[in-house]
């Protein structure tokens, strides 16, 4: 249950919710993770959320109650947490045009069709490829994308949410 009805355009996941990071980023949510920033104390998490205008997603009742905007989760399992986020109103559809890096939360930009890519990435002439300006990672719709898509579709179907939602972020 959300502590308040947030506009979750910018999210801060506390350390108990780290399994949600890549899912939310792949849905184009600007998602900071407290564990990546070394934030453990509630005061530090609250300060970052205030300073960066972020909605805190947490399993910690006391932290959620102290936050300006929060979504309180009960489940320990990622699928359960995703279902709770869906119930809280987050659009859990993969982005048609990814703009958030799944690794570092940086900005993605499309790789031109004629450009070359690292050995681990497919050629952009064959599939759409994106490049993170911050960490240099390349992304494309491959098997990981398919697994995340299946998980999100299953969570939405179990919650009764529509299968496909337009990307409005």
């Amino acid at each position: 249950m959300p502590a308040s009805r947030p506009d979750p355009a910018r999210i801060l996941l506390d350390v108990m919710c780290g399994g949600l990071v890549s899912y939310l980023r792949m849905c184009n949510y600007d998602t900071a993770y407290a564990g990546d920033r070394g934030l453990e104390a509630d005061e530090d998490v609250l300060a970052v959320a205030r300073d960066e205008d972020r909605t805190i997603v947490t399993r910690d009742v006391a932290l959620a109650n102290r936050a300006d905007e929060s979504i309180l989760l009960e489940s320990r399992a990622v699928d359960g947490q995703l279902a709770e986020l869906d119930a809280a109103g987050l659009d859990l559809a993969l982005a048609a045009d990814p703009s958030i890096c799944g690794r570092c939360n940086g900005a993605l930009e499309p790789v031109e069709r004629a450009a070359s890519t690292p050995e681990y990435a497919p050629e952009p002439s064959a599939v759409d490829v994106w490049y993170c300006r911050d960490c240099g990672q390349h992304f494309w719709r491959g098997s990981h994308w398919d697994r995340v898509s299946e998980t999100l579709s299953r969570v939405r179907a179990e919650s009764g949410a529509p299968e496909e939602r337009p990307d409005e972020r």
Side-chain angles (χ1 to χ4, degrees), residues 79-132:
D79 282 13
Q81 291 175 346
L82 289 168
E84 290 179 75
L85 290 175
D86 183 69
L90 268 70
D91 181 358
L92 296 180
L94 288 174
D97 188 21
S99 63
I100 305 284
C101 175
R103 174 184 276 179
C104 77
N105 204 45
L108 294 181
E109 61 184 51
V111 174
E112 293 185 28
R113 292 280 182 199
S116 63
T117 55
E119 271 186 36
Y120 68 84
E123 289 299 318
S125 61
V127 298
D128 292 330
V129 178
W130 293 267
Y131 166 80
C132 177

Side-chain angles (χ1 to χ4, degrees), residues 16-97:
M16 292 185 274
C17 301
L20 297 171
V21 173
S22 63
Y23 287 96
L24 293 175
R25 289 177 180 168
M26 290 175 73
C27 293
N28 271 355
Y29 285 102
D30 177 344
T31 306
Y33 175 50
D36 289 343
R37 296 186 179 191
L39 304 173
E40 292 184 26
D42 286 0
E43 290 304 320
D44 296 335
V45 172
L46 290 165
V48 168
R50 264 190 313 273
D51 292 347
E52 297 181 12
D53 193 27
R54 292 186 181 275
T55 298
I56 295 174
V57 175
T58 183
R59 292 185 52 243
D60 182 332
V61 174
L63 176 60
N65 287 335
R66 293 177 59 203
D68 293 335
E69 293 187 1
S70 66
I71 299 173
L72 178 62
L73 305 178
E74 294 179 6
S75 180
R76 292 178 183 224
V78 171
D79 282 13
Q81 291 175 346
L82 289 168
E84 290 179 75
L85 290 175
D86 183 69
L90 268 70
D91 181 358
L92 296 180
L94 288 174
D97 188 21

Side-chain angles (χ1 to χ4, degrees), residues 107-165:
L108 294 181
E109 61 184 51
V111 174
E112 293 185 28
R113 292 280 182 199
S116 63
T117 55
E119 271 186 36
Y120 68 84
E123 289 299 318
S125 61
V127 298
D128 292 330
V129 178
W130 293 267
Y131 166 80
C132 177
R133 290 184 286 191
D134 293 346
C135 73
Q137 182 72 29
H138 286 75
F139 296 89
W140 61 96
R141 291 182 185 106
S143 59
H144 177 65
W145 182 276
D146 294 340
R147 284 189 305 274
V148 169
S149 178
E150 289 170 13
T151 298
L152 294 176
S153 292
R154 185 180 67 252
V155 165
R156 287 194 312 270
E158 290 171 1
S159 72
E163 263 313 292
E164 292 298 321
R165 297 181 189 171

